[in-house]
Amino acid sequence: MSSAVVLGIESSCDETGAGLVRDGRLLGSALASSMEEHARFGGVVPEVAARAHVHALTPVVRGALADAGLRAGDIGAVAVTTGPGLSGALQVGLAGAKGLAYALGVPLYGVHHLAGHVAADTLAHGPLPSPSVVLIVSGGHTSLLLVRDLARDPIVHLGDTLDDAAGECFDKAARLFGLPYPGGPAIDRTAREGDPRAVPFPRPLTTGPPENRFSFSFSGLKTAAARWTEHHHAAGRPLPVADGAASLQEAVADVLTRKAVAACTEHGVSTLVVVGGVAANSRVRSLAEERCAAAGIALRVPPLRLCTDNGAMIAAVGDLLVRAGAEPAPLDVSVDPSAPLTYAALQPVGGDGSGGRQGQAVGHGPGGRAGRVPPPPCA
């Protein structure tokens, strides 16, 4: 199995992705997005997303195989996102993955979506140094993690968002500024014409109790953007959107990179990995480069096409699990839409779609209920 071709399927939100990985090398991938169908609603509509996955899944898998120059019979294992994400969307991907694995007679692996984002970097830059500090920034998640062996070891949370994630802040602020959905790319484009020092937006949780030094909170920043917008409207003045976008982006990038570099320094880690959709933001990338260079920290950021949701990142986790000798998922594997990130393998059971026992990677016990098993003391 060390040279098995692993098919990865991603369907947690509004993108249907398939990727093929063998021995850490990306062989082919394909992606379909329903983003345009959601744009008029200003956000993702779960039922619309699930229906789009139904239509896109087979063409996307065929597209990935064609891109790799392979046939379905070449697939040696299937990996699929089982959480977190939209329940209906996850169910579509899991049903397709189960069908493929059964028809091909190959093992199936359930994968945690956020572990996929971490593994995406390995497709561009090779194995992660152990340990590494990983900053995950996306529409729904902002976390600082200490990662050792992604396939075998528990993932240690140094800090997580207490409310709004960075990407959510961008989306909501963009709507306030009259910019289109999705907000992150719109903020990034608009900020290029603005002054990042024009608006003194706050830097949340950069002062205060030591226990919050690696936690994140962007709800106050979103509120500050709303108040700034309301103030201009009430005064009858035109909204300087470019300045607002640039200042907001600067505040987000400042908080993210400041905390990430501090985490590396405190834990004696020499590598920072920045992943997730917001890792595509130009200011987050450039400020991370500046601060890591000044601190003597090696920075790894995946190429833009691997930052957002895709099937290749799920295949990358599956490939790591196969090579580590991890147990495949049970036949009754289900989805867990709100699964915490504890291990890269996420193999809950329970037919109601609410999750159940979370499978763990090789070298650890059978688990327990997802989210209720603390990491071992060595973590």
Side-chain angles (χ1 to χ4, degrees), residues 51-127:
R51 289 179 181 273
H53 289 308
V54 170
H55 293 292
L57 186 58
T58 298
V60 162
V61 171
R62 287 175 176 167
L65 286 167
D67 187 43
L70 298 174
R71 300 174 300 171
D74 296 319
I75 296 170
V78 178
V80 61
T81 302
T82 47
L86 303 174
S87 179
L90 290 167
Q91 293 281 12
V92 174
L94 178 58
K98 281 184 174 182
L100 280 167
Y102 180 80
L104 297 170
V106 300
L108 175 70
Y109 295 85
V111 169
H112 197 290
H113 175 78
L114 297 183
H117 278 301
V118 179
D121 182 73
T122 68
L123 297 176
H125 302 122

Side-chain angles (χ1 to χ4, degrees), residues 185-205:
I187 290 281
D188 199 354
R189 289 191 302 269
T190 307
R192 295 168 191 165
E193 307 299 323
D195 179 359
R197 296 173 297 277
V199 186
F201 284 132
R203 271 52 172 173
L205 292 186

Side-chain angles (χ1 to χ4, degrees), residues 5-76:
V5 174
V6 180
L7 168 68
I9 294 175
E10 157 61 23
S11 69
S12 64
C13 193
D14 60 342
E15 282 148 334
T16 314
L20 294 152
V21 171
R22 178 171 56 198
D23 292 334
R25 186 168 67 91
L26 178 59
L27 306 177
S29 64
L31 187 71
S33 175
S34 59
M35 187 178 297
E36 291 184 2
E37 299 177 52
H38 306 285
R40 62 192 177 101
F41 300 105
V44 176
V45 180
E47 180 62 21
V48 173
R51 289 179 181 273
H53 289 308
V54 170
H55 293 292
L57 186 58
T58 298
V60 162
V61 171
R62 287 175 176 167
L65 286 167
D67 187 43
L70 298 174
R71 300 174 300 171
D74 296 319
I75 296 170

